[in-house]
């Protein structure tokens, strides 16, 4: 095998540690380096971009333009859904959080039960247009407070299976057409679990880095000198590495339209999640047939310093998240009507605040679904009610797979049974016609 850090597809790979790996997060989360938590880079079939504390992945491009596009935004570190979507009508929320609770009179678009964190204001145009939904009390079928284990379980979405196949890999597998890209890993690090499986995956350092390193004739000759040399060298090689190299060469050609799109990251704000979603928008606007993209953004493990509306990590994260998502949908142009975004986290936080203006690992959480086909507003088929003790959790009353099943069936016309084996979804109503 060639040295993965000098693979011809993208040149040397960086491996700096996420900026959230400080005293505010737990030891398990801090121990997860960029290669493990943020999933580094691997091989072919989609595209992965490392952008600070965010990582972008994409399923393989197909031979026809995508009719529907799904973007899965994973808020790594266990975001506090009770801060983002506040159950203001449940007095236990305020009793358990005397210092960090969001005051009811500061909430946005409050109904009889819920309201949004005020720093989510950039999302109001989507909300008012009926294109943003907030789903509460969602999560795994049983509590799992380990970041790594919960991420794996959430993304595999097939409890009890001995096969490590992600739900997005299964989704792509239900499509009638598939990319010709086929490959094995040629650079280090695993892909996101949700994309792992029999269909090949592709990762690169950035959209602009999706070239053959050293091929300086790309702008005037897509079949430049180094590309022609590599094609000659690997064209008839039947080994797994030969297959990977041919797929790499094909992939860089397929992505050429993406590289010619405008980079509008300045409108996304100065955050990793903003820069990552700007990369995703370029891939979608390139219209090369990518149907599934993932973004991992890892700044949500707030054991200390979650803070109030005047200071702390939550006000920054909520603002960055809302600014990035709003800019993303504004940047899609003619492609916007086919894009649906799902934002979720591996688990939630405890109901009660701790002594450090933070929250410890919990269970149930909120999800956001935005864009095409969404039935906007608050969705919570059964609010479980909150306790106030130190160990009080948000009880999960809606399995997160029920939300995803509606996206899968309504946007891709795929069978939820094929994507979530052995699971019978319940109706949530987050998608139109579900």
């Amino acid at each position: 095998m060639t040295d993965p850090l000098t693979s011809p597809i993208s040149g040397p790979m960086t491996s700096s540690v996420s900026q959230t790996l400080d005293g505010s997060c737990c030891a398990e989360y801090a121990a997860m380096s960029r290669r493990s938590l943020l999933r580094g880079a691997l091989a072919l079939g989609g595209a992965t971009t490392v952008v600070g504390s965010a990582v972008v992945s994409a399923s393989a491009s197909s031979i026809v333009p995508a009719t529907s596009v799904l973007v899965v935004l994973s808020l790594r570190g266990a975001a506090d859904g009770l801060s983002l979507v506040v159950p203001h009508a449940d007095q236990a929320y305020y009793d358990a959080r005397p210092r960090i609770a969001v005051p009811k009179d500061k909430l946005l678009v409050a109904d009889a039960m819920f309201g949004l964190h005020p720093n989510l204001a950039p999302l109001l145009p989507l909300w008012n247009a009926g294109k943003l939904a907030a789903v509460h009390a969602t999560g795994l079928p049983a509590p799992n407070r380990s970041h790594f284990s919960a991420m794996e379980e959430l993304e595999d979405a097939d409890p009890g299976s001995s096969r490590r196949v992600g739900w997005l890999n299964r989704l792509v597998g239900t499509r009638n057409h598939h990319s010709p890209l086929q490959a094995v890993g040629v650079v280090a690090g695993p892909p996101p679990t949700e994309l792992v499986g029999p269909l090949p995956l592709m990762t690169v350092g950035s959209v602009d880095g999706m070239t053959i390193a050293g091929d300086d004739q790309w702008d005037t000759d897509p079949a430049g000198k180094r590309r022609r040399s590599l094609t000659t060298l690997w064209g008839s090689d039947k080994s797994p590495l030969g297959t990977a190299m041919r797929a790499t060469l094909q992939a860089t050609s397929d992505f050429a339209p993406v590289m010619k799109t405008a980079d509008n990251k300045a409108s996304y704000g100065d955050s990793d999640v903003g820069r990552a979603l700007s990369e995703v928008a370029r891939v979608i606007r390139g219209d090369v047939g990518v149907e599934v993209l993932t973004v991992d953004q890892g700044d949500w493990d707030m054991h200390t310093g979650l803070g109030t509306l005047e200071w702390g990590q939550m006000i920054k994260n909520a603002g960055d998240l809302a600014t990035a998502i709003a800019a993303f949908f504004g940047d899609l142009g003619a492609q916007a009507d086919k894009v649906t975004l799902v934002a979720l986290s591996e688990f939630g936080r405890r109901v009660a605040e701790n002594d450090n203006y933070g929250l410890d690992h919990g269970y149930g959480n909120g999800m956001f679904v935005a864009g095409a086909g969404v039935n906007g507003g608050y969705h919570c088929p059964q609010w479980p009610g909150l306790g106030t003790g130190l160990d009080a959790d948000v009880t999960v009353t809606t399995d997160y797979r029920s939300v995803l099943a509606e996206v899968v069936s309504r946007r891709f016309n795929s069978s939820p049974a094929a994507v979530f084996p052995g699971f019978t979804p319940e109706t949530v109503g987050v998608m139109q016609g579900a």
Side-chain angles (χ1 to χ4, degrees), residues 94-117:
Y94 292 100
D95 293 342
R97 300 183 176 193
R99 299 174 299 172
I100 69 171
V102 181
K104 181 177 180 180
D105 62 358
K106 300 296 184 181
L107 296 174
L108 303 177
V109 291
D111 71 355
M113 184 67 188
F114 301 109
L116 297 183
H117 190 287

Side-chain angles (χ1 to χ4, degrees), residues 60-354:
S61 59
S62 63
I63 58 174
V64 296
T67 56
S68 294
V69 177
L70 173 62
V71 177
V72 178
L73 171 56
S74 296
L75 307 179
R76 302 298 190 189
D80 177 40
L82 293 179
S83 290
L84 296 172
V85 184
V86 177
H88 64 82
D90 194 326
Q91 182 58 38
Y93 166 77
Y94 292 100
D95 293 342
R97 300 183 176 193
R99 299 174 299 172
I100 69 171
V102 181
K104 181 177 180 180
D105 62 358
K106 300 296 184 181
L107 296 174
L108 303 177
V109 291
D111 71 355
M113 184 67 188
F114 301 109
L116 297 183
H117 190 287
N119 277 29
L120 297 179
L123 296 178
L124 287 181
L126 280 171
W127 184 274
N128 293 333
K131 294 185 177 181
L132 175 63
V135 193
H136 227 316
T138 69
L140 295 165
N144 184 338
R145 304 187 210 280
S146 161
H147 290 292
F148 180 79
S149 178
M151 288 176 195
E152 291 284 302
E153 184 179 351
L154 191 85
E155 296 176 11
D156 180 85
D158 187 12
S161 174
S162 60
R163 300 184 67 216
R164 189 170 183 262
V165 179
W167 73 272
L168 289 176
N169 198 289
R170 292 193 294 269
L171 171 60
V172 174
T174 66
R175 310 298 286 151
N176 293 327
H177 51 269
H178 298 291
S179 167
L181 306 179
Q182 304 255 338
V184 296
V186 293
V187 292
T193 301
E194 56 208 337
L195 289 177
V196 167
L199 294 181
L201 305 173
M202 175 184 64
T203 65
V204 296
S206 69
V207 166
D208 288 334
M210 185 62 177
T211 62
I212 302 300
D215 196 350
D216 55 8
Q217 293 190 13
W218 173 259
D219 289 338
T220 57
D221 179 10
K225 290 181 179 179
R226 192 171 190 212
R227 177 179 295 272
R228 290 196 297 270
S229 297
L230 289 169
T231 300
T232 300
L233 179 62
W234 297 103
S236 59
D237 189 293
K238 304 301 181 184
S239 69
L241 182 56
T243 301
M245 290 303 299
R246 288 192 299 276
T248 298
L249 294 167
Q250 182 62 51
T252 55
S253 295
D254 288 347
F255 263 71
V258 176
M259 297 173 65
K260 296 178 181 178
T261 60
D263 184 353
N264 299 323
K265 63 177 177 289
S267 65
Y268 285 74
D270 185 21
S271 70
D272 291 338
V273 66
R275 287 186 289 271
L277 284 176
S278 74
E279 297 277 337
V280 170
R282 291 186 66 188
V283 174
I284 296 171
R285 283 188 283 111
D287 202 21
V288 294
V290 176
E291 294 184 310
V292 174
L293 301 104
T294 69
V295 177
D296 291 0
Q297 190 259 331
D299 287 348
W300 296 90
D301 193 31
M302 302 178 192
H303 287 269
T304 66
L306 179 146
T308 69
L309 292 187
E310 286 71 44
W311 66 274
Q313 195 171 354
M314 179 56 72
I315 56 172
K316 180 182 186 305
N317 278 23
D320 287 345
L321 178 68
T323 297
I325 292 176
F328 170 71
F329 279 100
D331 190 21
L332 292 175
Q335 303 294 316
D337 288 341
K338 65 183 182 183
V339 178
T340 305
L341 180 146
V342 175
L344 73 172
S345 200
E346 65 263 30
F347 49 77
R349 316 299 293 194
R350 301 282 190 176
V351 177
E353 66 181 59
N354 59 32

Side-chain angles (χ1 to χ4, degrees), residues 404-424:
L404 299 180
E406 292 188 4
V407 177
V408 163
S409 61
R410 302 306 301 173
R411 298 301 299 148
F412 291 91
N413 198 30
S414 295
S415 167
V419 182
F420 306 105
F423 176 66
T424 301

